[in-house]
Amino acid sequence: MKELRIGLVGTGNIGRTHIERINQRLQGGRVIACADANFDFCKTVAEQYGLDAYQRGEDMISSNDIDAVIVATLDPFHEQYVRAAIQAGKYVFCEKPLAPEAEACKRIVEAEITGGKHLVQVGFMRRYDPGYRQLKGLLASGKYGLPLMLHCAHRNYDAPGFTTPMSVENSMIHEIDVLRWLLNENYATVEVVFPKSTRHAEGDLRDPQIMYLTTESGVRIDVESFVNCRYGYDIKCEIVCEEASLNLPEPPNAMIRTNDSRMTPICHDWSERFIDAYNIELQEWINFCKNGHLTGPNAWDGYVGQVTAKAASKARDTQSVVRIELESMPDFYKK
Ligand SMILES: NC(=O)c1ccc[n+]([C@@H]2O[C@H](COP(=O)([O-])OP(=O)(O)OC[C@H]3O[C@@H](n4cnc5c(N)ncnc54)[C@H](O)[C@@H]3O)[C@@H](O)[C@H]2O)c1
């Protein structure tokens, strides 16, 4: 295959950044068509980037002009387009979450198994961040003993319109996936507690929140979500092992001496902080689609993430420790 011809459904914020990334920076693939429920807007995006515009995502997905699909619509509409791509036998990259409900993720898993081919990748892009990849390599080296505890934080400058459930389901879902991938094991229990709330929290929002996860082997993890920290975007991950503490590196920035002080700028938001991760994620996806072999986060990872997030939401609402009940992994997903 010369160039992977990609159709993208959902021309909103992240959809448009993926079009620009693929068509202007990455190699081997090209977004050639787009679809969106807001067809007028879709047509302006198509005109801007020189794409074919489709009113119905399903028509684009089944078209012979398309080799692979990106789904970047709002969460409740992921399932229908991912299943349409499976039905058409095409690779599909779906932005996280795979679907807002675990049952919908399960239906996607079942459809993929029935189709008999690995076609689905979920946009858990932290796995592609060079810093997290370094941590994964250090853990795998075995030089530092076993991991025992993780201390993590996920802080945003602000988050207009954010609600209490979104801290787990939209923010910490990233930690739920990437920490499971780092440790290579599932979670057993989850609890969510509320520290004192910041005066910057709007309406009923409880901010910050702390999620406590325990893995099946007993590793303890605390993740702080603080979406109104009012100083920038800050992602922390410390893995305390038997013989070392491993720390997620920060993106490099020059240190500035000015006004009798020293300062090193940090990122303002996620799109800046994880730009390398998005580029690597989609470049590898294009390469793997062309080789016919996906290795990224799969539909089962999407299902596990959503079961865990739902258990965390229940733990938050009931202020109790909740067991995470997963079905056993189908042979189809065993490496
Ligand atoms: N990986 C990440 O870090 C990350 C970051 C941001 C967003 N996301 C995910 O990307 C997705 C899109 O987020 P966004 O911020 O771009 O949202 P957005 O609101 O800017 O865009 C969503 C687009 O989907 C379209 N849409 C809605 N319903 C549709 C339907 N039934 N059929 C076709 N199109 C439909 C809307 O018209 C809109 O253009 C979400 O699932 C979000 O969780 C992931």
Side-chain angles (χ1 to χ4, degrees):
M1 184 186 301
K2 269 177 80 180
E3 194 170 56
L4 188 76
R5 300 166 305 167
I6 301 164
L8 177 140
V9 51
T11 52
N13 288 324
I14 200 153
R16 295 197 306 282
T17 68
H18 287 338
I19 295 172
E20 285 181 11
R21 170 180 341 276
I22 291 170
N23 290 7
Q24 294 167 13
R25 290 193 286 285
L26 305 185
Q27 273 104 50
R30 184 151 203 90
V31 179
I32 63 157
C34 61
D36 196 287
N38 182 344
F39 190 50
D40 287 337
F41 182 62
C42 176
K43 281 190 285 191
T44 62
V45 172
E47 197 170 322
Q48 181 183 356
Y49 297 104
L51 317 177
D52 294 333
Y54 286 76
Q55 189 141 22
R56 288 186 72 251
E58 287 86 350
D59 293 339
M60 180 188 75
I61 291 167
S62 63
S63 158
N64 286 336
D65 296 338
I66 297 297
D67 302 312
V69 178
I70 293 179
V71 178
T73 64
L74 296 179
D75 304 353
F77 309 105
H78 290 182
E79 181 188 2
Q80 73 186 79
Y81 297 117
V82 172
R83 290 180 63 182
I86 293 171
Q87 183 76 32
K90 294 181 182 175
Y91 290 112
V92 52
F93 174 92
C94 178
E95 262 308 338
K96 67 85 201 162
L98 181 56
E101 301 300 330
E103 294 73 29
C105 297
K106 191 71 200 309
R107 287 194 291 271
I108 292 172
V109 161
E110 282 161 4
E112 193 179 37
I113 293 173
T114 304
K117 188 172 176 195
H118 288 275
L119 294 173
V120 181
Q121 178 165 328
V122 184
F124 285 130
M125 83 297 171
R126 295 245 188 130
R127 298 186 186 199
Y128 297 86
D129 175 71
Y132 279 111
R133 284 187 159 187
Q134 279 182 42
L135 292 181
K136 178 94 174 152
L138 293 172
L139 283 177
S141 75
K143 282 187 198 158
Y144 306 104
L146 293 173
L148 308 174
M149 299 174 281
L150 277 70
H151 308 296
C152 308
H154 185 148
R155 300 186 187 141
N156 301 65
Y157 181 89
D158 64 3
F162 217 77
T163 59
T164 298
M166 289 168 79
S167 286
V168 167
E169 305 206 5
N170 293 64
S171 282
M172 291 190 282
I173 183 79
H174 281 295
E175 272 80 11
I176 286 173
D177 178 72
V178 80
L179 304 181
R180 171 175 167 266
W181 170 76
L182 278 177
L183 297 173
N184 206 19
E185 60 170 328
N186 287 324
Y187 305 114
T189 64
V190 61
E191 184 183 6
V192 176
V193 301
F194 299 123
K196 183 172 174 172
S197 249
T198 168
R199 67 189 162 89
H200 298 296
E202 286 174 6
D204 296 335
L205 174 65
R206 297 296 303 259
D207 184 43
Q209 300 178 25
I210 302 174
M211 175 172 69
Y212 295 103
L213 291 157
T214 309
T215 68
E216 286 173 342
S217 77
V219 178
R220 278 291 281 194
I221 301 168
D222 51 89
V223 184
E224 169 207 309
S225 162
F226 187 14
V227 301
N228 284 286
C229 79
R230 290 299 197 268
Y231 69 83
Y233 185 72
D234 202 5
I235 300 296
K236 296 178 186 300
C237 176
E238 181 193 14
I239 307 175
V240 183
C241 298
E242 289 167 309
E243 282 106 34
S245 148
L246 312 176
N247 289 273
L248 182 70
E250 307 235 351
N253 269 316
M255 193 242 282
I256 301 165
R257 288 181 167 83
T258 183
N259 290 329
D260 306 327
S261 64
R262 272 194 309 247
M263 63 162 196
T264 309
I266 61 171
C267 295
H268 185 72
D269 66 24
W270 51 271
S271 60
E272 206 184 320
R273 168 67 179 81
F274 286 112
I275 191 156
D276 290 341
Y278 289 112
N279 288 338
I280 296 168
E281 172 188 52
L282 282 169
Q283 185 63 66
E284 289 193 4
W285 178 71
I286 290 169
N287 299 346
F288 286 132
C289 288
K290 292 174 80 172
N291 297 339
H293 178 56
L294 291 183
T295 61
N298 60 29
W300 185 253
D301 296 318
Y303 162 77
V304 173
Q306 226 41 35
V307 171
T308 308
K310 291 298 168 191
S313 289
K314 183 173 172 197
R316 177 198 61 235
D317 292 344
T318 56
Q319 287 296 287
S320 61
V321 179
V322 171
R323 273 208 75 76
I324 296 163
E325 310 283 357
L326 290 172
E327 296 190 12
S328 49
M329 186 196 274
D331 289 343
F332 184 79
Y333 294 100
K334 290 182 182 154
K335 301 264 168 7

